[in-house]
Amino acid sequence: MIMRTKQIKYSIAALVASVTVTTSCSRFEEMNINRNAVQNTTATTFVQPTVFNYEYRMINRSFTLTSQLMQYTVGHQQNADKISNYRIQNSVAAGYWNDFYSVGGNAQAMLEQAKKDKNDAALAVASIIKVIAMSTLTDAYGDVPYFEALQGYTSGGTEFTPRYDSQKEIYRDMFRLLEEANTLLAQSKENFDASEDYMYKGDIKKWRKLGNSIYLRLLMRAALKDEVDVETESLFAVSKLNQIFSYPADYPVFESREDAADVPFNDAVAAQQTPFFSWRAGSWNSNMICERLMNEMYVLDSDENVILSDPRLNFYFDNKRVGAPTQVTYQELVPYVDIVAHYNRGLIQNRDHFSIMCFSEIWFIWAEAAHRKWISGTAKSYYDRAVAESVYEWNPDASESIVSSFLSNPLVSLDGLRDDAALERIMTQKWISTVLVGIEAWCDYRRTGYPEMPVKSLAGNDSVLPTRLLYPADEEFRNPVNYDEAVNGWLGGVNNMKTEVWWADHNQKRKKE
């Protein structure tokens, strides 16, 4: 059910226990007495629990859903119904839906409380968090309940069957919220209590940078639609993107790695542990590193000499350097069990932070924008900075010589590449950089077609990498009128995973082997 905000308003802990994440009931009872639980006093007390629970859910979904869809990993389960084979069960789609509507509900509750508090800074922060949560939903499903969603408690708990809104109009409103947030935070003078915000310690300047950086991310999603929309309906994403680039004082974005939206986790505090904290080796190793990713980061020549060794290898993976094929049977994966690489369990299982958005993403956006001639400067200069920052995000002690040598490798360098070849190189390195960063790689692929994702005969979904998640099955019964209107409208009569969302490029190729 979408509309649970009457419950959401007061306790994120209670709601989290009802959705599909890897944890236990006792963990969330503990959250009721610490800063990861909404204290229901002032608006700013919503910040820490809402941000933490967003990323807790997202990293869990990223580890399983995005990793397999985007050929970072291959699921090693005995049945063929796994995400890497493009067979996504309803429990996955429903869990994702419930996860992020609950976060959106808390953001809306914070927004309403900020109005009562007459706290413009909190209102702006709530708007930014709401956009993060709701963009996560619309980017996964397409048209979703938005304008009538999250309003259950403000309407006396009666609005539980909201209409589905077009993704384009959702984007238009999210842009409005981010514009207003930028204006409000520019006028705000005081930070809020650092204990209410483990990510930014209540620093409103950093929240302003995050809002505009998220704005930049979403503008890039929508920018290609400027070419096909009539002027009266356009969101003018390219011109706004250029404005943010050209006037950084008016629209400050991330300026360093310290500005990045890194959500802290703490393995010594039960309420701040990662969703994989208690995973045993068997569960961890059920996700094999895919050969598509490994073969992009570690390359041998015909004589078995190493010609590329990505500086992030030891941080992403364990000490093995073999990837598994995707879209194959369980039996075909058996020979890889003892030789295949996995995510670096020692580093990632209890990592001290995961990112909503990294600093390197800003530079990848500038690189693509420069390649498309939307901003001034050279794609190469922005690209080199993006790749370097991605390396430093995992290994801040990497030497300049290591980074320089990596960037000069012909398999990495942008030198001599033009047109689609240059775009593919930019997007491939961005794909590598966004491992375990939400659904960014999936969004970029649907938007640009890069990097190419080979599809094999065992793949489900008519051999199409899913373009969206299915609406949860219970929506057909809980919200039938609006559900039917959405399915029979933009989806053409079938709740499917092949219809492109609004901002996706319908003309991009999908490579098949």
Side-chain angles (χ1 to χ4, degrees), residues 236-255:
F236 301 104
V238 172
S239 61
K240 176 56 67 172
L241 188 150
N242 183 278
Q243 183 182 3
I244 293 175
F245 172 81
S246 301
Y247 300 96
D250 295 336
Y251 290 93
V253 297
F254 294 162
E255 298 177 289

Side-chain angles (χ1 to χ4, degrees), residues 35-47:
R35 290 292 181 178
N36 282 346
V38 173
Q39 302 300 309
N40 194 34
T41 52
T42 61
T44 52
T45 62
F46 284 77
V47 174

Side-chain angles (χ1 to χ4, degrees), residues 4-12 15 101-102 105-106 109:
R4 295 175 179 168
T5 38
K6 195 170 184 179
Q7 303 164 20
I8 290 168
K9 180 180 179 182
Y10 299 107
S11 174
I12 214 169
L15 211 157
Y101 267 112
S102 69
N106 278 280

Side-chain angles (χ1 to χ4, degrees), residues 437-483:
V437 181
I439 59 171
E440 288 317 296
W442 185 33
C443 291
D444 282 334
Y445 174 78
R446 290 177 290 161
R447 183 174 59 82
T448 69
Y450 293 121
E452 292 184 342
M453 293 285 133
V455 179
K456 299 178 181 177
S457 59
L458 191 64
N461 202 43
D462 293 333
S463 296
V464 175
L465 194 154
T467 57
R468 59 180 295 274
L469 294 182
L470 297 175
Y471 292 135
D474 65 356
E475 276 295 287
E476 185 175 0
F477 306 101
R478 295 180 183 273
N479 192 6
V481 173
N482 294 301
Y483 170 86

Side-chain angles (χ1 to χ4, degrees), residues 1 6 32 50 66 84 90 119 122 148 163 195 210 262 270 281 293 296 327 336 341 360 378 409 426 440 471 486:
M1 181 71 182
K6 195 170 184 179
N32 283 322
T50 308
T66 314
S84 54
N90 178 66
N119 186 333
E148 292 180 357
R163 73 173 186 270
S195 69
L210 173 59
D262 294 337
L293 178 60
E296 203 69 55
Q327 297 151 21
Y336 289 87
S360 60
T378 66
N409 189 297
I426 293 167
E440 288 317 296
Y471 292 135

Side-chain angles (χ1 to χ4, degrees), residues 370-407:
H371 171 77
R372 297 184 185 277
K373 310 300 183 186
W374 292 342
I375 62 172
S376 60
T378 66
K380 176 177 167 52
S381 64
Y382 301 135
Y383 169 82
D384 284 355
R385 180 69 184 276
V387 175
E389 290 298 338
S390 177
V391 171
Y392 292 133
E393 282 160 358
W394 287 89
N395 182 12
D397 298 323
S399 67
E400 288 186 17
S401 62
I402 288 176
V403 175
S404 177
S405 176
F406 179 57
L407 284 168

Side-chain angles (χ1 to χ4, degrees), residues 97-348:
W97 180 276
N98 290 333
D99 276 357
F100 298 108
Y101 267 112
S102 69
V103 176
N106 278 280
Q108 183 67 32
M110 178 183 172
L111 194 150
E112 297 298 331
Q113 186 63 46
K115 292 177 181 177
K116 295 177 182 177
D117 297 344
K118 301 186 184 326
N119 186 333
D120 285 346
L123 183 64
V125 170
S127 295
I128 292 167
I129 298 172
K130 179 179 177 179
V131 168
I132 291 171
M134 298 308 293
S135 65
T136 298
L137 282 158
T138 187
D139 289 342
Y141 297 94
D143 294 6
V144 295
Y146 177 83
F147 291 102
E148 292 180 357
L150 314 180
Q151 302 295 332
Y153 73 93
T154 59
S155 62
T158 59
E159 188 54 74
F160 291 100
T161 56
R163 73 173 186 270
Y164 286 61
D165 300 296
S166 76
Q167 185 176 68
K168 181 177 180 178
E169 294 311 308
I170 292 171
Y171 261 67
R172 194 187 303 276
D173 193 67
M174 292 192 299
F175 290 171
R176 176 189 65 81
L177 288 173
L178 293 173
E179 283 283 351
E180 292 175 357
N182 180 58
T183 299
L184 290 173
L185 290 174
Q187 298 168 351
S188 300
K189 304 300 181 184
E190 295 183 5
N191 295 333
F192 57 94
D193 190 339
S195 69
E196 297 172 338
D197 174 17
Y198 291 179
M199 182 169 72
Y200 285 143
K201 308 299 183 187
D203 188 334
I204 59 172
K205 290 182 180 179
K206 290 192 173 183
W207 274 102
R208 188 182 179 199
K209 292 178 183 179
L210 173 59
N212 290 322
S213 298
I214 292 293
Y215 199 0
L216 199 60
R217 171 192 278 179
L218 300 182
L219 286 166
M220 184 57 83
R221 296 249 215 285
L224 290 174
K225 303 304 291 186
D226 281 3
E227 300 173 3
V228 297
D229 281 352
V230 297
E231 185 171 344
T232 55
E233 297 177 358
S234 176
L235 300 188
F236 301 104
V238 172
S239 61
K240 176 56 67 172
L241 188 150
N242 183 278
Q243 183 182 3
I244 293 175
F245 172 81
S246 301
Y247 300 96
D250 295 336
Y251 290 93
V253 297
F254 294 162
E255 298 177 289
S256 70
R257 291 190 297 279
E258 288 68 35
D259 290 334
D262 294 337
V263 179
F265 287 77
N266 188 341
D267 63 354
V269 179
Q272 297 172 35
Q273 292 163 351
T274 72
F276 347 103
F277 175 79
S278 60
W279 283 21
R280 297 182 181 275
S283 297
W284 189 265
N285 292 338
S286 66
N287 289 282
M288 300 173 164
I289 297 302
C290 182
E291 63 183 7
R292 178 70 182 86
L293 178 60
M294 182 61 75
N295 294 347
E296 203 69 55
M297 299 181 71
Y298 185 73
V299 183
L300 306 177
D301 65 15
S302 57
D303 295 321
E304 299 294 305
N305 297 310
V306 178
I307 58 175
L308 176 66
S309 181
D310 192 303
R312 294 162 290 194
L313 274 171
N314 292 330
F315 297 87
Y316 281 17
F317 312 138
D318 55 23
N319 59 6
K320 297 175 182 176
R321 295 293 176 262
V322 176
T326 190
Q327 297 151 21
V328 296
T329 64
Y330 173 80
Q331 288 73 22
E332 290 174 288
L333 286 175
V334 170
Y336 289 87
V337 169
D338 295 327
I339 63 172
V340 75
H342 304 90
Y343 281 134
N344 185 335
R345 187 181 179 197
L347 176 64
I348 294 175

